[in-house]
Amino acid sequence: MGHKGISVTGLVCSVAFFLLPLHSAYGDVSYSVPEEMKRGSVIGNIAKDIGLVASRLSARKARVDPDGNRKRYCDINLSSGDLIVAERIDREGLCGKKASCVLNQELVLENPLEVQRISLHVQDINDNSPQFKDEVIKIEMRESADKGARFLLDQAHDADLGQNAVQRYTLQKNDNFLLTVDSHTVELVLEKELDREQSNEIKVLLTAVDGGTPQRSGTVVIHVTVLDANDNAPVFSQAVYKASLPENSPLDTVVVTASAADADEGVNGEVTYDFAHVSEEDDKLFSIDRKTGEIRVIGTIDFEEMSYFELRIKAKDGLGKVIIDITDINDNAPELYLKSLTHSIPENASPGTEVGIINVQDRDSENNRQVRCSIQQNVPFKLVPSIKNYYSLVTTGELDRELVSDYNITITATDEGSPPLSSSKSVQLSVADVNDNPPVFEEQSYKAHVTENNNPGSSVCSVTARDPDWRQNGTVIYSLLPGEVNGVPVSSFLSVNGDTGVIYAVRSFDYEQLRSFKVHVVARDNGSPPLSSNVTVSVFITDITCCLNCGSKHFVGLIN
């Protein structure tokens, strides 16, 4: 199980939109884990380490998100709260020879939003054996070489670090040679003079051993050819060649030219160049011309993947070193990450309400990774910078769904490189309706004229109210306000259709008994709580007078 450490020095957030006020808590949780743990292995109990009850993890939609472009190397067991390995973690593949290898992941919780940065400090295990570049190290020696003569050997390479890297070398017992080793060189020392007539070649086994548990080793055959004459080994013009190379340099770019001189004449003075030992990855990026010593680019150099190279070179039996520093160029645009994104905020949210967290990342370095975020549109939202590369998206004014129901917010991130690079991300945000509008009648009051002796159930008039709210908040229901007319309930005179607002006569009216009356109609919406308004409806009864002379009927309206 990994060793845990917790700090609260950094702000780590994702994006979430909530209907309730948003509360955020920030902090770092770190674990020390060995590489190559099996999938499903427990790293630690993240719920306990952040002070959260494991039973709440499901309700809060707990999950682990990768930081930036990396894979999701760990996951969370929602039942126990254990942080478990989800993906193979190979320190050498992730960090190469870097002394520190840290993977950043994020634990995201919702309701309310809480994001914890999880730092996995990957520790090296002894999973690589020492390796020599070639199966055979070929050395040519003159038979007249003096006792004590030294010959540089290619060192073994071990991808592991520290104690797990190469710790010692051993040489197979033989009559002619000893081995000397220091922190920088491995040399073959002539202990007994050579006799070409007795033996024109000698083979001995060189073994490199690391200090890991279990211990690993690698071997190479040293093949010594005894010559009559070759008095001098090639000597490089510099012990260390240093070069600075911009990333994304074109193929065939010359990085540096190594030069070695051999004081011998003729064939014995000819120098050929090669790499002593480079990794498979480096071998795909650089080549060396065997005749000229020119080192050229043959692959894509990416500062974000590797910012430093150390190549060992050899000229026959002489050794040298090339150190290449890669310089960053602004070749990565900022990336915007929106997480836990929902799409709705209530229209009555107060100004300053936090509706999301935006995470911005740029893989470049120094000024090339300094990023500014902005919203160019005229919308009631703004970005508030937080710690490091996080921004809060907050409201800046009152929202009104009846005026604007949807926002398409474009967030632009621009770095400070030369020339600057930028990228944009759109956030779709809907304004959720609240019941903030009562129904409003189309007229301030209504008048209705009804002929006496009307049929019960006949239509008297119609009222209409509008409510701009959404769905049930805008659904209008009509009713009569309880009251009396001459001591009789209004419901004995009129009724109203709750859906349409059409008012009907309940009885037949008599002009001689009742000439006019008033009722109040209530329009109520279906919101929670409901809102309402009312209007006065004045009803006038029309008299019917019979004309004895002509036999026709005349309708006489009341004059008020």
Side-chain angles (χ1 to χ4, degrees):
M1 182 177 294
H3 301 290
K4 166 186 68 70
I6 301 179
S7 65
V8 290
T9 57
L11 168 65
V12 178
C13 303
S14 301
V15 173
F17 292 89
F18 293 98
L19 299 183
L20 299 176
L22 192 64
H23 167 74
S24 300
Y26 310 106
D28 287 355
V29 184
S30 62
Y31 297 93
S32 179
V33 297
E35 62 173 329
E36 304 294 353
M37 292 179 72
K38 292 183 178 179
R39 289 181 176 86
S41 298
V42 176
I43 297 171
N45 191 283
I46 187 71
K48 178 181 177 182
D49 295 337
I50 65 173
L52 185 68
V53 178
S55 59
R56 291 281 299 151
L57 293 174
S58 293
R60 295 190 63 183
K61 299 179 182 179
R63 65 190 179 279
V64 175
D65 284 345
D67 184 2
N69 298 324
R70 289 191 179 276
K71 297 178 181 178
R72 184 168 59 86
Y73 286 95
C74 56
D75 205 345
I76 186 170
N77 185 316
L78 295 179
S79 300
S80 65
D82 286 336
L83 191 69
I84 58 176
V85 176
E87 188 73 34
R88 175 179 177 243
I89 301 175
D90 177 21
R91 190 203 62 79
E92 290 76 36
L94 291 168
C95 302
K97 279 291 187 180
K98 291 181 181 178
S100 176
C101 186
V102 181
L103 288 176
N104 291 318
Q105 310 275 279
E106 293 176 349
L107 174 66
V108 181
L109 303 165
E110 297 184 17
N111 303 319
L113 175 67
E114 183 178 348
V115 181
Q116 302 275 356
R117 180 186 289 257
I118 305 170
S119 297
L120 302 180
H121 295 262
V122 183
Q123 305 302 316
D124 183 48
I125 66 171
N126 193 31
D127 58 339
N128 292 280
S129 299
Q131 289 184 327
F132 290 92
K133 180 179 184 293
D134 302 307
E135 294 182 358
V136 178
I137 297 176
K138 295 182 178 181
I139 300 176
E140 295 177 343
M141 296 184 187
R142 60 183 177 85
E143 66 174 331
S144 59
D146 295 330
K147 181 179 179 180
R150 294 172 176 265
F151 303 88
L152 280 171
L153 301 176
D154 292 350
Q155 296 186 42
H157 172 77
D158 194 319
D160 295 319
L161 292 177
Q163 193 67 23
N164 293 330
V166 176
Q167 297 298 311
R168 61 187 178 89
Y169 293 86
T170 60
L171 187 67
Q172 179 185 3
K173 188 175 181 179
N174 66 93
D175 295 331
N176 297 96
F177 299 102
L178 297 176
L179 196 67
T180 64
V181 180
D182 61 26
S183 58
H184 300 291
T185 60
V186 178
E187 293 181 309
L188 192 66
V189 181
L190 185 61
E191 176 69 10
K192 179 183 177 181
E193 289 83 354
L194 301 172
D195 184 349
R196 185 175 182 277
E197 284 66 36
Q198 182 177 348
S199 177
N200 63 359
E201 63 177 15
I202 300 171
K203 294 181 180 180
V204 292
L205 195 66
L206 176 64
T207 302
V209 182
D210 64 26
T213 302
Q215 198 173 65
R216 294 173 177 265
S217 63
T219 59
V220 66
V221 174
I222 301 174
H223 185 178
V224 179
T225 301
V226 183
L227 302 176
D228 279 333
N230 182 12
D231 298 325
N232 298 280
V235 177
F236 281 101
S237 59
Q238 298 173 216
V240 178
Y241 293 88
K242 293 185 177 181
S244 181
L245 181 69
E247 66 172 329
N248 299 333
S249 292
L251 298 181
D252 213 36
T253 297
V254 177
V255 181
V256 69
T257 300
S259 177
D262 192 319
D264 292 322
E265 296 181 356
V267 175
N268 291 330
E270 293 179 0
V271 179
T272 56
Y273 302 89
D274 198 358
F275 289 126
H277 188 284
V278 294
S279 66
E280 291 184 10
E281 293 78 11
D282 294 351
D283 201 34
K284 296 175 182 177
L285 300 178
F286 302 101
S287 69
I288 186 168
D289 190 295
R290 293 182 59 84
K291 292 183 178 180
T292 66
E294 282 185 344
I295 296 176
R296 294 177 178 267
V297 175
I298 60 171
T300 301
I301 307 298
D302 188 353
F303 175 88
E304 287 71 43
E305 294 295 329
M306 189 67 69
S307 61
Y308 169 89
F309 294 91
E310 182 176 310
L311 309 175
R312 295 190 178 274
I313 55 177
K314 63 181 180 180
K316 264 191 175 176
D317 45 356
L319 292 177
K321 184 191 297 184
V322 176
I323 294 175
I324 305 171
D325 287 311
I326 307 302
T327 57
D328 183 43
I329 64 173
N330 194 30
D331 60 340
N332 291 282
E335 294 182 85
L336 290 156
Y337 293 94
L338 310 176
K339 302 174 182 178
S340 303
L341 180 63
T342 57
H343 299 278
S344 184
I345 179 174
E347 62 178 322
N348 63 349
S350 59
T353 298
E354 187 177 52
V355 296
I357 302 292
I358 289 85
N359 175 226
V360 186
Q361 298 189 16
D362 193 312
R363 298 184 66 213
D364 293 315
S365 64
E366 298 180 352
N367 286 345
N368 293 336
R369 71 176 301 172
Q370 299 303 314
V371 179
R372 302 183 309 275
C373 277
S374 61
I375 298 173
Q376 301 298 327
Q377 304 135 291
N378 184 20
V379 293
F381 299 92
K382 68 177 180 179
L383 291 170
V384 178
S386 189
I387 296 176
K388 295 181 181 177
N389 52 344
Y390 288 86
Y391 291 80
S392 296
L393 181 65
V394 301
T395 59
T396 59
E398 300 286 349
L399 302 176
D400 188 343
R401 188 204 65 84
E402 287 70 48
L403 293 177
V404 181
S405 60
D406 295 279
Y407 290 94
N408 184 0
I409 306 168
T410 301
I411 301 169
T412 301
T414 305
D415 63 31
E416 295 185 4
S418 181
L421 299 177
S422 64
S423 60
S424 297
K425 180 83 73 174
S426 292
V427 177
Q428 300 289 338
L429 187 61
S430 297
V431 180
D433 185 51
V434 297
N435 195 27
D436 57 347
N437 292 282
V440 176
F441 284 95
E442 292 183 343
E443 300 181 22
Q444 292 184 345
S445 64
Y446 291 84
K447 293 182 179 180
H449 296 272
V450 182
T451 305
E452 67 176 332
N453 300 328
N454 60 292
N455 293 324
S458 61
S459 171
V460 174
C461 68
S462 177
V463 296
T464 302
R466 307 291 183 186
D467 191 321
D469 290 322
W470 178 248
R471 292 184 176 173
Q472 71 269 17
N473 292 335
T475 301
V476 179
I477 301 172
Y478 302 94
S479 63
L480 292 176
L481 191 67
E484 294 182 349
V485 176
N486 297 336
V488 179
V490 295
S491 59
S492 299
F493 293 87
L494 300 173
S495 67
V496 62
N497 185 305
D499 295 326
T500 66
V502 176
I503 298 174
Y504 298 94
V506 175
R507 63 168 63 179
S508 179
F509 297 112
D510 185 349
Y511 174 78
E512 285 70 32
Q513 293 183 2
L514 180 66
R515 297 187 178 188
S516 68
F517 63 93
K518 295 181 178 181
V519 296
H520 298 285
V521 178
V522 178
R524 178 179 289 104
D525 63 30
N526 215 12
S528 179
L531 299 177
S532 65
S533 61
N534 54 51
V535 71
T536 301
V537 179
S538 299
V539 181
F540 300 98
I541 312 302
T542 304
D543 185 30
I544 300 177
T545 302
C546 295
C547 180
L548 298 176
N549 294 326
C550 63
S552 62
K553 293 183 179 181
H554 301 278
F555 299 96
V556 181
L558 285 174
I559 302 176
N560 290 325

